[in-house]
Structures are given as C-alpha cells and as structure tokens.
Amino acid sequence: MSDLPRIAVLYGGPSGEREVSIDSGRAVLQALQGLGLDAVGIDIQPAILQQQVTDSKAHIVFNVCHGAVGEDGLLQACLETLDMPYTGSGVLASALAMDKWRCKQLWRAAGLPVTDGILLRRGENAPDLGARFGWPLYIKPNHGGSSLGVSKVTGPAELDAALQSAFAIEDEVLCEGAVIGHEATVGILDGHALPPIVIETPRAFYDYTAKYLADDTRYLLPSGLGATLDQQLQRLALKAFAELGGRDWGRVDFMISGDGQAHLLEVNSVPGMTSHSLVPMAAKAIGMGFPELCNAILRTAQRRVKHG
C-alpha cells in the first residue's frame, strides 16, 4: 500500500470544458486506483465544494478541473481556506494563466516573446483590426480554454461573427495577429520540460474539433524542429512558467514563425489528462507511463502536506 493518505480527484464543474474535465478525472482516478492508492472522485459543485471535499475525508487533492472555477484560482483559493494540499499552481499563478491578456503583459515586461495583440471590452469601439494586424487574425475570449469561442478571421466579412462568438462567452476578448508557422507545446513536470510536440491539423486552426473530435490531427513527437529549437522551446517554457509563479506541472503553448522565432501563446495550468492528451503523450516519449505520470504529479503536492 501507499504511504499517501486519501486522495480526492476533482473534475467536472460548470465550465464549457466540463466534458473534457470529466474524461481527465476518470482517467486519473482509474490510474491512481490502479496503483493501489485510496482515491475518490468528486464532480465539483462550486456552491458546496468545501463540503464535498470535507465529506470525502481526503487529505490531498488531485485537481483536473479545466476552465472557469477549477483553473482560474477560485478552486485553489477554496482549497487554501481548507488548508488542503492540491496539485498544480496556486491562486495567483492560476488566475494569471487563465487571463491571456494579463499573462502576456507580464511576459512582455519580463522580455519574453509574445504574440502581438490587444484587449477588446464589451461596449467599447474596436479599432480597425485589419489595419492593425492584417489578415488573418484571431479573436478569442480572454479567459477559458479548449479553443471555445475562438475564430480565425481571414477578412473583414468574418469579423463581426467572430466578435459575437467570443463576446457571447465573456466581456473581454483578445485580438491577436496571426503567426504563420508551426504550433507547438511543451509540458512541464516538477521543474523539468518535457519534449516539445508540434501540432498539425488540416482545419483552419487547432480548434475544439481538432483537439477532441477529429481523427486527422497530427502530433509530431519528435517535433521535427531540430534539437536546437527544441531546447530553446523547453528553456522558454520553463522561464514563462516560472514568471507566472507556476508550480508542479502545466503546459506552455507556442507559435513558431517560418524563420524559427518562438512566440508564447498561453499557459495551461491544468492540462488535459486523458491517455491521449498532450502532457501524457510527451511523458510517454521519455518512458513515463500514464499511471507513473499521475503519481509524479501527486507527489509534487504531497511535499506540501503539513506534518505534525
């Protein structure tokens, strides 16, 4: 048996990423139980979350709640008030990672390369985005993940519909100029960067369908970028994660231009954790199976368990 006490695996919740989170939660729960650990699953309800955690009689939390509440600092703050150790980044880093605009402002101030963008607020007059960025450009909700509400806009005729789609989700919307090249991602585990993965899709961009539904999305691992650029991405991912105050594990996404320049897109502080998700894929490339990965993430939180 393990030396770990009871583990509560938190998943689900109210966000648009609920179904993905449920898949992640089930996979993690099965892996931990398969290791002989005393793990229970909780589909979180924010209004009674503290009671749910208390009733579980858990001593440590493995958080795989994606999106609002689970990934934006709210769940983390709730667990802090319970003095409950949990996997992943703390309150501030989680909130910053979820806020694409303010995260990039921090990175820019630290001298890190980011994609060019502006923040649009509901009710404000938008500037001439085509003149500002050229075409194509991207419109996306400032918070959230799984590419929900994100549009690639190839010309003026598509702009209004893209803005309506993003503003239907929230009051702050990010407009970014397109970087033409490769999309790549780097997983982070316990202070180490995993091998980069390059993502290719025949769709307009790596949207929700390409991530979770399509069978023609390609994941290149090895990335095909070459050892020098791979190592540059790993160093940049670790620095970007550290600037936010991230801890334990996460994933940093990039766009790489045709001349090999990397541009930071965003951080995922609670990445997908199904057997086919990107962090498990990268871990497998270094010989770490899914149960071993789950256990390694759990151990990072165990170090914060207070003794005595």
Side-chain angles (χ1 to χ4, degrees):
M1 294 296 291
S2 167
D3 60 325
L4 282 173
R6 171 167 286 189
I7 307 142
V9 179
L10 305 190
Y11 58 84
S15 83
E17 299 176 76
R18 171 177 171 77
E19 295 304 319
V20 179
S21 177
I22 289 173
D23 288 345
S24 290
R26 287 172 176 166
V28 170
L29 184 62
Q30 182 178 10
L32 296 178
Q33 290 174 342
L35 292 170
L37 304 181
D38 181 13
V40 296
I42 299 176
D43 185 344
I44 71 162
Q45 300 178 54
I48 58 170
L49 175 57
Q50 287 185 322
Q51 193 62 48
Q52 286 180 298
V53 174
T54 300
D55 289 349
S56 74
K57 301 190 185 309
H59 297 86
I60 193 167
V61 160
F62 196 124
N63 176 32
V64 276
C65 292
H66 308 315
V69 179
E71 201 171 354
D72 59 7
L74 293 178
L75 180 148
Q76 290 77 10
C78 176
L79 296 175
E80 293 281 355
T81 65
L82 292 175
D83 201 20
M84 176 70 67
Y86 56 91
T87 58
S89 293
V91 176
L92 178 58
S94 298
L96 282 170
M98 197 70 167
D99 189 323
K100 296 178 177 66
W101 172 250
R102 291 164 185 87
C103 174
K104 289 186 178 185
Q105 293 290 85
L106 187 150
W107 281 339
R108 186 178 285 111
L112 301 181
V114 299
T115 49
D116 187 23
I118 59 172
L119 187 69
L120 308 174
R121 295 179 175 88
R122 187 190 303 277
E124 292 183 352
N125 292 325
D128 186 338
L129 298 176
R132 172 73 168 77
F133 297 104
W135 310 102
L137 55 80
Y138 285 90
I139 300 291
K140 59 185 71 173
N142 187 44
H143 300 79
S146 291
S147 296
L148 295 171
V150 178
S151 300
K152 181 179 181 179
V153 183
T154 60
E158 302 171 10
L159 188 57
D160 283 347
L163 288 169
Q164 288 177 18
S165 176
F167 277 122
I169 293 178
E170 70 160 298
D171 292 336
E172 289 188 337
V173 166
L174 188 61
C175 176
E176 292 184 305
V179 175
I180 307 303
H182 298 292
E183 183 162 356
T185 190
V186 176
I188 292 172
L189 176 62
D190 198 13
H192 301 280
L194 297 173
I197 301 172
V198 164
I199 303 158
E200 294 183 347
T201 174
R203 299 180 62 80
F205 67 101
Y206 189 45
D207 60 7
Y208 186 94
T209 298
K211 288 176 178 177
Y212 304 118
L213 304 176
D215 58 7
D216 54 3
T217 304
R218 298 180 64 216
Y219 301 98
L220 306 185
L221 182 60
S223 70
L225 299 172
T228 300
L229 186 50
D230 272 357
Q231 291 167 12
Q232 179 188 344
L233 290 175
Q234 288 175 309
R235 289 193 298 268
L236 188 53
L238 289 171
K239 187 169 184 180
F241 196 63
E243 285 292 340
L244 291 186
R247 70 184 186 196
D248 295 358
W249 73 300
R251 202 186 77 230
V252 182
D253 298 338
F254 298 89
M255 285 301 300
I256 303 166
S257 58
D259 60 357
Q261 296 300 307
H263 304 264
L264 287 159
L265 281 176
E266 61 183 86
V267 166
N268 291 269
S269 60
V270 185
M273 275 296 285
T274 65
S275 58
H276 59 274
S277 295
L278 294 167
V279 170
M281 193 183 303
K284 185 177 180 180
I286 60 169
M288 179 178 285
F290 188 77
E292 185 182 355
L293 171 63
C294 292
N295 192 46
I297 294 169
L298 187 61
R299 295 286 174 167
T300 60
Q302 186 193 18
R303 296 176 198 152
R304 292 190 290 276
V305 174
K306 293 182 179 178
H307 300 284

